[in-house]
Amino acid sequence: MGHQRPADAEDQLVFATEGEDAAAADAQYWTILVVDDEPDVYTATCMALRDVEILGRRLRFLHAASSIDAFELLKSHPDVAVVMLDVVMESESAGLDLVVRIRDELKLAKPRIILRTGQPGYAPEMRAIREYDINDYRIKSELTRTRLFTVLTAALRSYRTLDAMEANRSDLQALLEAQTELLGANTMPAFALGVLERMGMLFRVPGEGLFCGGGRRAGDFDEPPRVVAATGRYADWSWRRIDQLGDTPEAHAVELAFATRRSVHAGGGLALYLPSRTGSDAVAWLATVDLGHRLEQELFELFVQNTAGAADGVRLVERLRDAAYVDGLTRLANRSALAETIDGALRVPPDGPMRLLLIDIDQFSELNETFGDRIGDALLHGVAARLEAGAGSAVRVARVANDTFAAFGPRDALVPADWARRLDPPFEVEGLQIGLSVSFGGVEFNRECASGGEAIKMAYSALKRAKQTGHRSVAFYSHEVATEIKERTRLLHGLRQAFDQQHLFLMYQPQVDAASGRVVGLEALMRWRADDGRLVPPDRFIPVAEQSGLIKDLGAWAMRSAIHRAAALRAAGHGLRMAVNVSMSQLLVPGFEQMVGDALDEGGLPAHALEIEITESVAMQSPDIVLPKLGALKAMGVGVAIDDFGTGYSSLSSLEKLAPDRLKIDRSFVVGLDAEGGGGSIAEMIIDLARTLGFKVVAEGVETLRQRRRLNALGCHELQGYLFSPPLMVDDLPGWLAHAALADSDVDAA
Ligand code: C2E
Ligand code: MG
Ligand code: MG
């Protein structure tokens, strides 16, 4: 007979067959039990069927010489497929009695029974044949070799059907269980592993294989399917694209299955095609699938259908999960996902110390207002990308609120300064260069945090505290921080009230010409007298005002007051320049230039008599924001001074573009001029730089004669500091100015 192709149902299983399957069926036998008290009958039967193969299998014979032996043998060999049973042995009814015991006592329903009798004419009752499910009844002499073969084949075929039905019942059971279990998987890889395992169960082989999916329908070659799960010998194939699986039988079968959208049996395994309603078909490859295994077409299709349906379900769950755990804009983890990650770390504490950092963009809402949502979103994308690029595998990056990002991981990997540096270079958005700074709120991760959600809250209060300090700030959570935050909140409350009740006022500090000592300008400095009479320094309340948005009103008020004061002094004969400090958040308020222009008109002050001071870091931070604003002010005739110069980082080219009227050397460099020898070299450099670029220089915080002399020698243009005057109350101004003018005329007279 030779090698026989598996017949029937198995054939239909294969939709597109490549080559012949090497059926491992050769190794399997049909077990035939010959029960006969004449040993010759057994020997003859064996001889007759020695080399015969039926339905793809060889035969294996067992012999029992009595019904009692037969009973015992069957007990230990329940896999007997056919019993060839002598009717008359110890007794006339020994054969039929055995049949009763096989069916009733041993509960063996599957073995086919062929009754053989040596005595023609003796026939069991038809009732018995039906009742005990006897397959055939033959007279021994009738059974020639050919006849024997035919009878046995018929019996084995019906045995096989019964066996398949029984096997399928348990397969069906497994399938149904598999379905519910598989639906419990909430990620595709987990589901895919489950499918491979179930396929293994179904085909009775180890579930060694690949699950490929995730690609988009043909026509979109952007995203070929990938190996979603890989087991056994394929373990390291995980996440490879299917077009990168190399020249292997597995790859060919998988590709063919995707291409033909049918299951493929080839290369010793099965590539099971799983269609999808949502357009992301999958193929599961199972190695060493023997199609000789009886698997009904119907069951097979049920499996494919159910698995494909379950896959769609899991994809849906994954998408929903995605929506619940992934930030829609940046694709980073969102707050819930971060909280869960931290919860996980609380359950299974990692080895080293961990830290949670919140990273918040300073003044993002103003940036957004200035440039519009589209550019704002692009900035968030840019920040997300840089954070992720710098994170490393141990750090989880998330976006927890509009412009607030988070990083959770080993403490060493979460040093704020490192992260700030990554965000320092300006972002290129639609041809614009936009720089931004961030502030950090951190919490050292420990058992004190009861949950991820709470850890995030603690980090938030640290962030709040950092924000209150100003831009580019860092704060870590502690109990003091919590108290501090309360205090700050009280401060903001007080500030708001003070502003409403007009308890804020301006003081004016003179600026003098270095060479002549003549007063040339005044700087307006804000003051707040608290209820207890103490003066709250601006360094303390201005950041609070900036953070709360109160700075807009505060700044506009200061601008108007200073302009009115300058106009009044001008009317009284003091034609002085008025310098007003402006912070980044004020500059960012849309319509800031307009507000200044209106204030000048209202106050009746010529624009050139006003100078705004912005700090170096503000000036350099976002040239694309600052330059147009300053350009508009300069076009009106308003002067610009760079405050605290030397403390930030300026590039020559941006300084040139900015073209300020004045640089103000920060007080810290002026202090150095007191030192003997080389002290003050920075002041010297700044003055040289300003001269080269054609800007004027003002030295801040001049307190000593020695400083004044050295600044004069270096060629500094103007001076400001306690040496000349502290900031003055409005009421003291006329007197001081009159006195100064008098002193001036003294100098002139001398
Ligand atoms: P600034 O613009 O650099 O102002 C100079 C600061 O140095 C002022 O402090 C002034 O009182 C102080 N100062 C002046 N001469 C001397 C001196 O000889 N020795 C010492 N040790 N200090 C001197 P103040 O008034 O406390 O203001 C601090 C900062 O607050 C200002 O620095 C400015 O950045 C900000 N500020 C003040 N008023 C306003 C305002 O109206 N709007 C904005 N946005 N910021 C303001
Ligand atoms: Mg200033
Ligand atoms: Mg300054």
PDB file of all heavy atoms in Angstrom, residues 211-223:
ATOM      1  N   PHE A 211       3.250  33.929  16.735  1.00  0.00           N
ATOM      2  CA  PHE A 211       1.974  34.572  16.468  1.00  0.00           C
ATOM      3  C   PHE A 211       2.312  35.906  15.819  1.00  0.00           C
ATOM      4  O   PHE A 211       3.012  36.735  16.395  1.00  0.00           O
ATOM      5  CB  PHE A 211       1.192  34.786  17.760  1.00  0.00           C
ATOM      6  CG  PHE A 211      -0.222  35.241  17.521  1.00  0.00           C
ATOM      7  CD1 PHE A 211      -1.275  34.332  17.559  1.00  0.00           C
ATOM      8  CD2 PHE A 211      -0.504  36.575  17.242  1.00  0.00           C
ATOM      9  CE1 PHE A 211      -2.582  34.742  17.333  1.00  0.00           C
ATOM     10  CE2 PHE A 211      -1.808  36.994  17.015  1.00  0.00           C
ATOM     11  CZ  PHE A 211      -2.845  36.072  17.061  1.00  0.00           C
ATOM     12  N   CYS A 212       1.855  36.058  14.587  1.00  0.00           N
ATOM     13  CA  CYS A 212       2.224  37.256  13.846  1.00  0.00           C
ATOM     14  C   CYS A 212       0.992  38.096  13.593  1.00  0.00           C
ATOM     15  O   CYS A 212      -0.042  37.577  13.174  1.00  0.00           O
ATOM     16  CB  CYS A 212       2.858  36.908  12.506  1.00  0.00           C
ATOM     17  SG  CYS A 212       4.148  35.677  12.660  1.00  0.00           S
ATOM     18  N   GLY A 213       1.096  39.365  13.830  1.00  0.00           N
ATOM     19  CA  GLY A 213      -0.055  40.238  13.593  1.00  0.00           C
ATOM     20  C   GLY A 213       0.347  41.684  13.737  1.00  0.00           C
ATOM     21  O   GLY A 213       1.531  42.023  13.742  1.00  0.00           O
ATOM     22  N   GLY A 214      -0.661  42.519  13.857  1.00  0.00           N
ATOM     23  CA  GLY A 214      -0.411  43.936  14.090  1.00  0.00           C
ATOM     24  C   GLY A 214      -0.158  44.738  12.837  1.00  0.00           C
ATOM     25  O   GLY A 214      -0.049  45.953  12.879  1.00  0.00           O
ATOM     26  N   GLY A 215      -0.054  44.062  11.699  1.00  0.00           N
ATOM     27  CA  GLY A 215       0.170  44.816  10.470  1.00  0.00           C
ATOM     28  C   GLY A 215      -1.125  45.414   9.990  1.00  0.00           C
ATOM     29  O   GLY A 215      -2.189  45.120  10.495  1.00  0.00           O
ATOM     30  N   ARG A 216      -1.020  46.296   9.004  1.00  0.00           N
ATOM     31  CA  ARG A 216      -2.244  46.818   8.432  1.00  0.00           C
ATOM     32  C   ARG A 216      -2.514  46.098   7.130  1.00  0.00           C
ATOM     33  O   ARG A 216      -1.627  45.555   6.507  1.00  0.00           O
ATOM     34  CB  ARG A 216      -2.134  48.330   8.238  1.00  0.00           C
ATOM     35  CG  ARG A 216      -2.252  49.023   9.577  1.00  0.00           C
ATOM     36  CD  ARG A 216      -2.432  50.500   9.361  1.00  0.00           C
ATOM     37  NE  ARG A 216      -1.442  51.184  10.188  1.00  0.00           N
ATOM     38  CZ  ARG A 216      -0.744  52.207   9.763  1.00  0.00           C
ATOM     39  NH1 ARG A 216      -0.876  52.644   8.535  1.00  0.00           N
ATOM     40  NH2 ARG A 216       0.101  52.787  10.564  1.00  0.00           N
ATOM     41  N   ARG A 217      -3.748  46.116   6.736  1.00  0.00           N
ATOM     42  CA  ARG A 217      -4.184  45.419   5.526  1.00  0.00           C
ATOM     43  C   ARG A 217      -3.309  45.715   4.331  1.00  0.00           C
ATOM     44  O   ARG A 217      -2.744  46.778   4.215  1.00  0.00           O
ATOM     45  CB  ARG A 217      -5.625  45.838   5.194  1.00  0.00           C
ATOM     46  CG  ARG A 217      -6.624  44.907   5.797  1.00  0.00           C
ATOM     47  CD  ARG A 217      -7.206  43.962   4.721  1.00  0.00           C
ATOM     48  NE  ARG A 217      -7.742  42.755   5.315  1.00  0.00           N
ATOM     49  CZ  ARG A 217      -8.945  42.677   5.883  1.00  0.00           C
ATOM     50  NH1 ARG A 217      -9.740  43.711   5.899  1.00  0.00           N
ATOM     51  NH2 ARG A 217      -9.344  41.553   6.409  1.00  0.00           N
ATOM     52  N   ALA A 218      -3.236  44.719   3.433  1.00  0.00           N
ATOM     53  CA  ALA A 218      -2.454  44.857   2.213  1.00  0.00           C
ATOM     54  C   ALA A 218      -2.744  46.199   1.547  1.00  0.00           C
ATOM     55  O   ALA A 218      -3.849  46.708   1.598  1.00  0.00           O
ATOM     56  CB  ALA A 218      -2.803  43.729   1.262  1.00  0.00           C
ATOM     57  N   GLY A 219      -1.743  46.753   0.930  1.00  0.00           N
ATOM     58  CA  GLY A 219      -1.918  48.062   0.329  1.00  0.00           C
ATOM     59  C   GLY A 219      -1.227  49.097   1.192  1.00  0.00           C
ATOM     60  O   GLY A 219      -0.784  50.120   0.735  1.00  0.00           O
ATOM     61  N   ASP A 220      -1.120  48.797   2.451  1.00  0.00           N
ATOM     62  CA  ASP A 220      -0.382  49.677   3.352  1.00  0.00           C
ATOM     63  C   ASP A 220       0.867  48.941   3.800  1.00  0.00           C
ATOM     64  O   ASP A 220       0.825  48.129   4.713  1.00  0.00           O
ATOM     65  CB  ASP A 220      -1.261  50.015   4.557  1.00  0.00           C
ATOM     66  CG  ASP A 220      -0.616  51.074   5.433  1.00  0.00           C
ATOM     67  OD1 ASP A 220       0.586  51.350   5.240  1.00  0.00           O
ATOM     68  OD2 ASP A 220      -1.305  51.607   6.298  1.00  0.00           O
ATOM     69  N   PHE A 221       1.942  49.228   3.146  1.00  0.00           N
ATOM     70  CA  PHE A 221       3.155  48.474   3.445  1.00  0.00           C
ATOM     71  C   PHE A 221       3.990  49.146   4.511  1.00  0.00           C
ATOM     72  O   PHE A 221       5.087  48.734   4.800  1.00  0.00           O
ATOM     73  CB  PHE A 221       3.969  48.255   2.155  1.00  0.00           C
ATOM     74  CG  PHE A 221       3.249  47.358   1.196  1.00  0.00           C
ATOM     75  CD1 PHE A 221       2.636  47.871   0.077  1.00  0.00           C
ATOM     76  CD2 PHE A 221       3.162  45.994   1.452  1.00  0.00           C
ATOM     77  CE1 PHE A 221       1.956  47.033  -0.801  1.00  0.00           C
ATOM     78  CE2 PHE A 221       2.476  45.167   0.585  1.00  0.00           C
ATOM     79  CZ  PHE A 221       1.870  45.683  -0.540  1.00  0.00           C
ATOM     80  N   ASP A 222       3.422  50.212   5.068  1.00  0.00           N
ATOM     81  CA  ASP A 222       4.148  50.912   6.123  1.00  0.00           C
ATOM     82  C   ASP A 222       4.437  50.000   7.293  1.00  0.00           C
ATOM     83  O   ASP A 222       5.468  50.087   7.920  1.00  0.00           O
ATOM     84  CB  ASP A 222       3.306  52.081   6.648  1.00  0.00           C
ATOM     85  CG  ASP A 222       3.385  53.244   5.681  1.00  0.00           C
ATOM     86  OD1 ASP A 222       4.307  53.237   4.843  1.00  0.00           O
ATOM     87  OD2 ASP A 222       2.519  54.118   5.775  1.00  0.00           O
ATOM     88  N   GLU A 223       3.482  49.134   7.542  1.00  0.00           N
ATOM     89  CA  GLU A 223       3.557  48.379   8.786  1.00  0.00           C
ATOM     90  C   GLU A 223       3.319  46.907   8.540  1.00  0.00           C
ATOM     91  O   GLU A 223       2.196  46.433   8.681  1.00  0.00           O
ATOM     92  CB  GLU A 223       2.481  48.917   9.722  1.00  0.00           C
ATOM     93  CG  GLU A 223       3.017  49.367  11.042  1.00  0.00           C
ATOM     94  CD  GLU A 223       1.886  49.764  11.966  1.00  0.00           C
ATOM     95  OE1 GLU A 223       1.333  48.883  12.648  1.00  0.00           O
ATOM     96  OE2 GLU A 223       1.564  50.947  11.983  1.00  0.00           O
TER      97      GLU A 223
END
